[in-house]
Amino acid sequence: MSVGELYSQCTRVWIPDPDEVWRSAELTKDYKEGDKSLQLRLEDETILEYPIDVQRNQLPFLRNPDILVGENDLTALSYLHEPAVLHNLKVRFLESNHIYTYCGIVLVAINPYEQLPIYGQDVIYAYSGQNMGDMDPHIFAVAEEAYKQMARDEKNQSIIVSGESGAGKTVSAKYAMRYFATVGGSASETNIEEKVLASSPIMEAIGNAKTTRNDNSSRFGKYIQIGFDKRYHIIGANMRTYLLEKSRVVFQADDERNYHIFYQLCAAAGLPEFKELALTSAEDFFYTSQGGDTSIEGVDDAEDFEKTRQAFTLLGVRESHQISIFKIIASILHLGSVEIQAERDGDSCSISPQDEHLSNFCRLLGVEHSQMEHWLCHRKLVTTSETYVKTMSLQQVINARNALAKHIYAQLFSWIVEHINKALHTSLKQHSFIGVLDIYGFETFEVNSFEQFCINYANEKLQQQFNSHVFKLEQEEYMKEQIPWTLIDFYDNQPCIDLIEAKLGILDLLDEECKVPKGTDQNWAQKLYDRHSSSQHFQKPRMSNTAFIIVHFADKVEYLSDGFLEKNRDTVYEEQINILKASKFPLVADLFHDDKDPVPATTSGKGSSSKISIRSARPPMKASNKEHKKTVGHQFRTSLHLLMETLNATTPHYVRCIKPNDEKLPFHFDPKRAVQQLRACGVLETIRISAAGYPSRWAYHDFFNRYRVLVKKRELANTDKKAICRSVLENLIKDPDKFQFGRTKIFFRAGQVAYLEKLRADKFRTATIMIQKTVRGWLQKVKYRRLKGATLTLQRYCRGHLARRLAEHLRRTRAAVVLQKHYRMQRARQAYQRVRRAAIVIQAFTRAMFVRRTYRQVLMEHKATTIQKHVRGWMARRHFQRLRDAAIVIQCAFRMLKARRELKALRIEARSAEHLKRLNVGMENKVVQLQRKIDEQNKEFKTLSEQLSVTTSTYTMEVERLKKELAHYQQSLGEDPSLSLQEEVESLRTELQRAHSERKILEDAHSREKDELRKRVTDLEQENALLKDEKEQLNNQILCQSKDEFAQNSVKENLLMKKELEEERSRYQNLVKEYSQLEQRYDNLRDEMTIIKQTPGHRRNPSNQSSLESDSNYPSISTSDIGDTEDALQQVEEIGLEKAAMDMTVFLKLQKRVRELEQERKKLQVQLEKREQQDSKKVQVEPPQTDIDLDPDADLAYNSLKRQELESENKKLKNDLNELRKAVADQAMQNNSSHGSPDSYSLLLNQLKLAHEELEVRKEEVLILRTQIVSADQRRLAGRNAEPNINARSSWPNSEKHVDQEDAIEAYHGVCQTNSKTEDWGYLNEDGELGLAYQGLKQVARLLEAQLQAQSLEHEEEVERLKSQLEALKEEMDKQQQTFCQTLLLSPEAQVEFGIQQEISRLTNENLDLKELVEKLEKNERKLKKQLKIYMKKAQDLEAAQALAQSERKRHELNRQVTVQRKEKDFQGMLEYHKEDEALLIRNLVTDLKPQMLSGAVPCLPAYILYMCIRHADYTNDDLKVHSLLTSTINGIKKVLKKHNDDFEMTSFWLSNTCRLLHCLKQYSGDEGFMTQNTAKQNEHCLKNFDLTEYRQVLSDLSIQIYQQLIKIAEGMLQPMIVSAMLENESIQGLSGVKPTGYRKRSSSMADGDNSYCLEAIIRQMNAFHTVMCDQGLDPEIVLQVFKQLFYMINAVTLNNLLLRKDVCSWSTGMQLRYNISQLEEWLRGRNLHQSGAVQTMEPLIQAAQLLQLKKKTQEDAEAICSLSTSLSTQQIVKILNLYTPLNEFEERVTVAFIRTIQAQLQERNDPQQLLLDAKHMFPVVFPFNPSSLTMDSIHIPACLNLEFLNEV
């Protein structure tokens, strides 16, 4: 490629410019070799003739194509030179507001002088785990690269941050450390990362100051090493500092400040603890007021001082040490303000003894005032023979004072750094570290002194290390790709370094001059001239003999030698130091004793400092002088060598900070200053090294995709892409040195990519011209055909018009003739008709006249007869009506009078709401009374029926017994009958018949009375219904007036309540999440403690109970009422009783009831003893039984146990009553005159209700037992008579409750004894009124409670229904609005097509819904058929069993098989286990259970089994067993989840089982709200004794934790796929192009393998998730919430990467995104998950894809973008527009003016300031109640669970 081809017409070049450094121009004429000038056109259309140096042939730099401008990496530019770098940085900084840019391995950071929202936690998480070239340049990307290389290569890393003052070095280093603290947080509780960050405010306070270039300039260099352990968690840190600018303590230039700590301390001087510092405003002190203004705009020194103190505290600096530090700092201020007075001779000075500042200085440091006053004005001279004390001049005293102040501050600075390192030190072994070097950049001022010399020396060393590292990386890359390479010539600054640090170099000569007694700066400068004048890097200025010039790598710097020796010596008079060593404050003394290690002899000189001794201090002075040979330059050189050794042993990463302007203006770019810094910081050197080799690198695949348009068609047949690339390049680029083929990449020289881009653009331009030519020709042909067709059409229409006009004329002529003919005919016909009609009319009138005359005569006669008849009848009726009307009027008047009176009374009464209440109360009381009477009659009838049945059964048994005795006597006495026995039998039969007749009479009377009561109840109910209707009418009239208002208010309240509910649920679930994290943390710490604690000693092993309680974190459920009673009594005693005396009758009633129970118990005991005696007698009389008979001793023991239980229960009730009565009596005596709160009365009533409910439960149990006992006695007697050898227990039937036979008999006899007392309520007191009133009150309360519950339930259902309707309407409205907005933007044809698509989609959805409904109905039908078959089979079995039982009963035989079969059929859905088997149950059912074991079983089988075990424990009333089982289950689930914390299947399995167990506890809790969908069989399985509400809350919290773990696992599996599948993979092949990439795409952290994913991988993974959750029976509502959360995460991760990656913000990416999102939506619809709201969470990503595809030029485009991007914030929209990158030169960039237009239109939005979405955000989960249709008795337990020890009850 020749020069003429490159420098052709329209080629753009860069030419030098004095103002803008470089200026763009365009060639107007082709360049030919030999031309002496170029014809150029500047950007302002100015024509310029640019001269060329023909000899050197230096043509201007070529400009890169526009498509390469704004690249993330400067090395991606095809032409690598200074103007290209400067222009790229300028475009990124000003147009895109990007402050970070890569330059090879260097991150260039430009200070924006403005706070940017790109450093939050969300950005840290976005960059965490990403490869360096994948995201936009950022300091976090560099930090992540260092962190990943440390973890992968196990090599220490360093981040070198350099730049000018004000360029942002400190901020960049701070953000890098913040990244490490966030990503590598400490695993222990030491919070070392917080301490590392806390060191920043301290170091800024004592080491930063305001300069003319920077308000927070670091005046020292620091290197912070952050240590990591083997798991790469932060364990400690260490800090090294370099070259503190001590001169700033005593001198500040104009508009500068001293160190921040001085001003912070002055701002806080008013605090009480700082009164003793004697500080005032900063303007009052000399050391803080030299720069003028002592404040910084926008900085609050007092607030910063509080942050500094907090940081000291966090780092463990004690309060006393903090006060001492502040005292030392304050003493420096006082020292600077000491007034020194010169004497007249001018050689001596003095300080006033009354000087306040000197006094404060001595007081704060704890030194003697007189000694300090003396040695500030005198110095000691030591010679070989003696020592002299000499006075000093005023300037010498000031210099000595300033030196002392600087030395104090430097020592304090070192002490603080040392203690920070101690606080950050760790005893753990450091595995690796990352160092962050924040050091000054290259400096050059008008006057450069010793500080600038040291700074530039350090930068020379760093630049040398940087150059060697860059060269090394280039060499490694070439060797890795196996391409031939030659040594690259790069600038080596070793001669300059040798000039400074070599033997007899500048530093050596400086140290040597410092040793000379009378050495001066001029002498030292002369030595430099003599020694180094021949060096290339050393020059002598023409006009000065005290200055010298060093040629550094960046620029020439002229140094003024004045002050070099003094600053290098850094001399402080030893007498002053000795005074400070003798301070009474330990910190001050230790501060200066720190030098005793390097200066061991200073201690012995301390005592002699106060005396003018001549010889005792001489040897120490010699040693001290020897040690003082370590000058500042020597120390700095040593520390710099150590730093370089550390950096060379690590992998470096470079950050170069650039200061864009000196005025600190936000986003203002000064090209001169920028170029100066780019040259100084080595960025251009990096570019030069890259340009010397092969800077452009392309992978074969990317090169083929980009430049396949240059490949010939026949070459595309080859499948080997490498071969195609080789042939293409060999044909296009003739010079083989311009490119090299590597193993995986193609390497190009500088400018070759631009040439290829030019060829590609020419190819596209040629193709475009061909397409345009063809299209234009086609358009012209179409236009000609259209004109020809229009002409023919016009001719056809004209000829037709003429023909039609002629035909019309002929038609009109013929029509006129026809009209004339018909008109004449019509006139003749009309004349004839007129004559004819006249004749007919005359005849008709004549005939009619004669007929009317005849008719009129007949009619008159008939009317006369009729009138006579009606008149006579009317007269009779009128007389009757007059009499009747008079009577009616009288009645009406009387009734009206009465009605008006009643109406008036009713109106008055109706106005009060109490009327309706009284009506209702009256009716309710009547209904209650009637109901009570019915209940009493029913109870009476029941008791009489039971007595009759008992009497009948007794008589029957007696007859049978007598028959047996008769038969026995007949056998013994022979055939002689006994007449007496027959008579007795007959008498018994008559008595039995009489009892039957009495029973029938009673039944008839009861039925009649029952019918009468029912009739009365129905009448009252009708009357009550009428009253209710009137009440509803009145309420409706009142409600109609405020109906609209109430509807609006209710809608608003519902919305607010819903929002508050969501927020509260979210907060609660966050708390649950934090609790689970703390619990996990606690477990980890406990495990660590068990590992660490190996020392022997006493250890306490907690019991099972304590461990269970500590794990469950919830109290156990207690069934003891004694504790509740004591608590209630305590509340009564605290709040007082208001109605204690009034309610004593209630307690008397309860006391009487307890006494009767006690008497009843005694009677039962007596009867039991009698019965035992009778049984023993019967046993003696009867013949001996077989071995199957019952053991009487065992029966007696069992009966005694039951009797003890009854006694204990009675004692408990009695104790409760006595305690209540005692408490009430004491309180009543103490507070006779006081009035308590109404809560006490309600408390007593509650206690009474509880007691009475317990009595009612006992009575119901007794009734049930009594019915069972009667049948049991009958069957036992029948069994004994039939087969005496069969045990009576075998015939005991299976009842609903398992009751022991003897217990039932004992209870039955007790009930028989007390039945007479419980027949009415009169036994409570003498007249019976109290019991009756209490019973009525209880029934009324129950009725009211039922009504209230029904009303509240209806209201809740109505509210839920309204909410659901409202949500549905809102969703429908949103969809309609979106559809309408999208339709408006389309063309009419597209609108029609879109409408058809919408209708098709709607019909499709309806069809799917109908199909789903049909499937559900078919499934329900099959289920019902199956249940019907089961019930039919059960009915047949029952009939067969009944028939068999009847036949067996006739033969008096017992079939054992029937009994066993009935036990199997009557399985009650309970599982029994022994307490010792609980651990085995949890292990087999929870801990060791695998989901695969239950693949064919009922979903959530473990939950059902656990509930059946809980139900049995509830049935046996064992609260400890319930508590232990639930606690063990919860702990077992937690243990399983902790063990399988990355197993999605296991987590989903236990989430479904936990939710199902929670649903079971709700469904069978007995709460009516959860029992609405239960069957009658399921209602029998409800819990009877315990309320497990607290455990329901525990299970709900556990479900939330499992759900959060499930989401975490799913997100962890999906997250690596998202970016690759959504943004990088080409779902639509050939759509996306490839742009040139830079150095960063070969990041060493990138893996060699291909980790790309496609969208199908995400869909397959979500299919797996959906299948697992559905197979395991997870609730559909939870499944919807899971996928809503996962889709939100996909949206957040994709959008965050889109906002942080410039390479994917293009039109093609928008198309790919829209296609991928449509695929995900299709997947949701296919799985019926579209109702989950997942699509709504993807709305920001959908709008971002639309934003990438919309036009971005005009005002209308801006309005369209603003209207469509409602889910994106303003920052996100602007960021995407800034990042938008064309993939070829035919696309246009988004202009800055268009972005400003967007910002102006969106400025009214109140968007959050956060740029990225929170990918960690989790929606609050809701677990809706989902009852099961299964019954517990239908569940089968598979044998694989190994639960044989469970017994079905």
Side-chain angles (χ1 to χ4, degrees), residues 239-451:
M239 182 189 305
R240 284 188 251 165
T241 59
Y242 304 95
L243 203 64
L244 175 69
E245 187 184 10
K246 295 187 289 184
S247 61
R248 182 167 293 274
V249 178
V250 298
F251 172 75
Q252 305 94 42
D254 291 339
D255 201 25
E256 292 192 357
R257 293 205 321 174
N258 206 328
Y259 291 106
H260 294 324
I261 188 65
F262 293 107
Y263 302 93
Q264 293 177 5
L265 196 58
C266 290
L271 296 177
E273 59 266 29
F274 297 143
K275 292 294 184 183
E276 62 175 340
L277 302 183
L279 293 177
T280 56
S281 175
E283 290 86 355
D284 300 336
F285 295 97
F286 177 72
Y287 282 168
T288 55
S289 60
Q290 299 177 64
D293 189 8
T294 60
S295 61
I296 302 176
E297 184 179 356
V299 175
D300 187 354
D301 290 320
E303 184 179 348
D304 290 345
F305 182 67
E306 188 61 31
K307 293 180 181 178
T308 304
R309 295 184 67 186
Q310 292 175 2
F312 272 123
T313 304
L314 183 59
L315 289 173
V317 180
R318 297 195 300 272
E319 190 71 24
S320 60
H321 280 179
Q322 293 183 33
I323 297 297
S324 300
I325 291 171
F326 300 144
K327 284 182 179 181
I328 295 171
I329 295 171
S331 69
I332 295 174
L333 292 179
H334 286 295
L335 179 61
S337 300
V338 172
E339 293 184 5
I340 304 172
Q341 300 171 357
E343 299 296 336
R344 292 181 180 179
D345 55 2
D347 294 334
S348 62
C349 297
S350 64
I351 301 174
S352 173
Q354 288 78 27
D355 190 291
E356 183 181 356
H357 290 290
L358 182 59
S359 301
N360 290 328
F361 173 78
C362 297
R363 177 176 56 81
L364 292 173
L365 294 185
V367 297
E368 294 185 11
H369 184 278
S370 58
Q371 289 187 5
M372 185 55 68
E373 178 187 350
H374 175 76
W375 288 112
L376 279 175
C377 300
H378 299 78
R379 59 175 296 192
K380 183 187 295 185
L381 295 177
V382 179
T383 63
T384 55
S385 58
E386 53 187 354
T387 301
Y388 300 95
V389 176
K390 182 184 177 182
T391 60
M392 293 187 291
S393 63
L394 178 62
Q395 189 59 42
Q396 289 176 335
V397 171
I398 292 175
N399 291 339
R401 181 194 66 180
N402 292 342
L404 178 62
K406 291 190 292 184
H407 186 69
I408 293 173
Y409 192 80
Q411 292 298 105
L412 179 63
F413 184 86
S414 301
W415 186 90
I416 292 175
V417 171
E418 180 184 353
H419 278 70
I420 289 176
N421 287 334
K422 287 181 180 177
L424 300 179
H425 181 68
T426 178
S427 59
L428 300 176
K429 183 179 180 181
Q430 178 177 290
H431 180 259
S432 56
F433 71 84
I434 297 178
V436 180
L437 177 63
D438 174 11
I439 199 163
Y440 12 68
F442 187 85
E443 288 187 355
T444 172
F445 303 118
E446 293 181 1
V447 178
N448 299 290
S449 185
F450 182 72
E451 291 83 3

Side-chain angles (χ1 to χ4, degrees), residues 144 194 347 409 603 646 651 683 808 1039 1097 1128 1246 1279 1410 1712 1791:
E144 172 63 20
E194 294 183 8
D347 294 334
Y409 192 80
T603 307
T646 303
T651 302
V683 172
E808 184 71 17
L1039 290 173
N1246 291 333
L1410 290 174
Q1712 297 277 10
T1791 61

